[in-house]
Amino acid sequence: MAGFDQLIAQFDRALRTVSGVAEASRPSPADASPEAQLDAEERRHAAALMRVNHVGEVCAQALYQGQALTARDPHARQALERAAREEEDHLAWSAQRVAELGGRTSLLNPLWYAGSFAIGTVAGALGDRWNLGFLAETERQVEEHLSGHLARLPQEDVRTRSVVEAMRADEARHRDSALELGAAELPRPVKRAMRLAAGLMTRIAYRV
């Protein structure tokens, strides 16, 4: 029965993730800053970048849920579940900011979720050290990705920048937690494949 209940909970979380009804447990960092006077192109560009970030959070939810489902060590499972809860804040914050900028979230979110959940399940099945290694490398690459977005966002768009900065700080903490729990160093070809996949997703999500 416990396994069935877990599957029901996973299905409910998946529906909430792809339908855009995630609820944040922390207030959005954007709420502390006024809206900047951006021109139409700046708003479009910022909304597209935040749509990419929202897709990243959809993928993160799916990855960590898949990994937690197959993790063997309770501490590893707790770390993944904790990361997923904080990523749900990111999901809500980025969706809110996309809407404020007049944009929309990706039409392909169900596809992003399904693919990422499958990858996460496989990563978890490989064993906890590799599972945590995948978590650590994912967070490291996301940190780089968010830093790149900060370089591309208008300096005056403080609301968007504050969200991205808070997300980046959380990702760094998740990476450090995985390393402390004994994450394995992933082989270089795996890291390269992850980077290529993330780059393809970014290019598609920026437009769709």
Side-chain angles (χ1 to χ4, degrees), residues 87-126:
E87 299 287 355
E88 190 166 358
D89 287 347
H90 301 177
L91 193 68
W93 296 347
S94 54
Q96 174 188 325
R97 191 61 191 140
V98 168
E100 290 172 351
L101 290 163
R104 57 159 177 76
T105 55
S106 176
L107 301 174
L108 302 178
N109 278 342
L111 178 62
W112 301 129
Y113 187 96
S116 298
F117 186 84
I119 292 170
T121 302
V122 171
L126 293 175

Side-chain angles (χ1 to χ4, degrees), residues 8-9 22 32 50 69 74 103-104 107 126 139 147 203 207-208:
I8 292 296
M50 289 308 294
L69 193 65
R104 57 159 177 76
L107 301 174
L126 293 175
E139 297 292 20
S147 294
R203 290 191 293 275
R207 294 173 173 81
V208 185

Side-chain angles (χ1 to χ4, degrees), residues 19-204:
S19 61
V21 295
E23 294 185 4
S25 61
R26 297 173 290 171
S28 171
D31 293 345
S33 302
E35 190 68 68
Q37 294 300 312
L38 305 175
D39 62 33
E41 176 57 24
E42 288 173 330
R43 292 180 70 83
R44 184 204 64 78
H45 177 61
L49 290 179
M50 289 308 294
R51 177 167 59 248
V52 171
N53 291 334
H54 184 266
V55 165
E57 298 307 329
V58 168
C59 292
Q61 282 292 305
L63 280 170
Y64 299 153
Q65 288 162 28
Q67 288 177 268
L69 193 65
T70 51
R72 299 177 180 85
D73 180 69
H75 296 98
R77 185 180 301 111
Q78 289 170 9
L80 289 158
E81 290 173 345
R82 183 167 58 251
R85 285 194 298 272
E86 291 192 350
E87 299 287 355
E88 190 166 358
D89 287 347
H90 301 177
L91 193 68
W93 296 347
S94 54
Q96 174 188 325
R97 191 61 191 140
V98 168
E100 290 172 351
L101 290 163
R104 57 159 177 76
T105 55
S106 176
L107 301 174
L108 302 178
N109 278 342
L111 178 62
W112 301 129
Y113 187 96
S116 298
F117 186 84
I119 292 170
T121 302
V122 171
L126 293 175
D128 290 319
R129 289 187 69 249
W130 294 111
N131 198 4
L132 290 166
F134 191 79
L135 169 62
E137 180 61 23
T138 298
E139 297 292 20
R140 189 183 69 78
Q141 293 192 16
V142 170
E143 275 187 82
E144 293 179 359
H145 160 86
L146 293 174
S147 294
H149 279 197
L150 285 170
R152 297 168 64 188
L153 284 166
Q155 289 293 329
E156 61 270 24
D157 188 3
V158 180
R159 286 177 68 84
T160 304
R161 296 180 68 86
S162 64
V163 171
V164 175
E165 287 167 353
M167 290 165 60
R168 185 175 61 173
D170 284 346
E171 310 299 359
R173 190 169 63 255
H174 299 162
R175 181 202 62 212
D176 291 344
S177 176
L179 292 173
E180 289 170 4
L181 287 169
E185 181 75 14
L186 297 186
R188 187 172 299 177
V190 174
K191 294 181 182 180
R192 187 179 303 117
M194 291 170 65
R195 191 177 299 279
L196 288 172
L200 176 62
M201 181 207 74
T202 296
R203 290 191 293 275
I204 295 172

